[in-house]
Amino acid sequence: MRPTAPRVRRAFLLALALCVPALPGCRVDCGFEPHCEGNTVWECEIGIDQLVGSGSPQVYPCLEPAPVCVERREGLPVSSDDHFFCAREPLTECDPSLAPSCEGTLLVSCRGGYVTAYDCTNVSGTGRCGRRTPDGFVQCL
């Protein structure tokens, strides 16, 4: 067992030597707060990038079937992904407990207090909206 201890120590020191130079870069490199600009969502991807470098801005347009950029309604519980998002037009408020449903190939749900939709034909697979089992939840199949 003694011969493996020097190898483990060397591997640890090598990993430490490679990681220490990256520490000054541990920040998110987004010079803005998440927001809507017209019908475009601007946010900053936060994740593993923070550990090894800087995050990157994520900018995406709101297109049909959800072409309106909105901010989560006041007073609703906050989840990690519903601060700014794309909603259906006309902008319609909904109760967050509203169960998702299908309208043809569209998966319709309530997000951040507004009705939103996702076109299942954009997903690999069958491109259909439905349930895998009779008791299952509605999803893109």
Side-chain angles (χ1 to χ4, degrees):
M1 283 220 183
R2 297 289 292 165
T4 59
R7 282 191 218 145
V8 171
R9 186 176 306 142
R10 261 184 273 147
F12 175 74
L13 291 174
L14 178 61
L16 187 61
L18 293 173
C19 291
V20 169
L23 290 177
C26 293
R27 70 187 187 293
V28 176
D29 198 23
C30 294
F32 60 86
E33 292 293 319
H35 65 283
C36 288
E37 276 188 26
N39 286 325
T40 302
V41 177
W42 288 66
E43 52 188 28
C44 193
E45 182 161 306
I46 298 173
I48 192 67
D49 287 349
Q50 287 181 295
L51 301 176
V52 296
S54 59
S56 59
Q58 300 295 307
V59 179
Y60 55 94
C62 294
L63 305 171
E64 288 293 342
V68 182
C69 183
V70 295
E71 181 176 5
R72 177 186 52 83
R73 279 191 4 230
E74 287 287 323
L76 294 178
V78 178
S79 76
S80 62
D81 66 344
D82 69 355
H83 289 285
F84 293 90
F85 56 93
C86 300
R88 280 186 103 172
E89 193 172 46
L91 192 58
T92 306
E93 292 184 0
C94 58
D95 184 280
S97 63
L98 177 73
S101 62
C102 293
E103 291 180 10
T105 61
L106 298 182
L107 174 61
V108 179
S109 62
C110 184
R111 181 176 177 192
Y114 295 102
V115 176
T116 189
Y118 183 77
D119 188 351
C120 291
T121 60
N122 294 332
V123 179
S124 61
T126 67
R128 293 183 299 121
C129 181
R131 300 177 192 272
R132 291 196 189 282
T133 64
D135 300 346
F137 54 91
V138 174
Q139 64 188 47
C140 290
L141 301 172

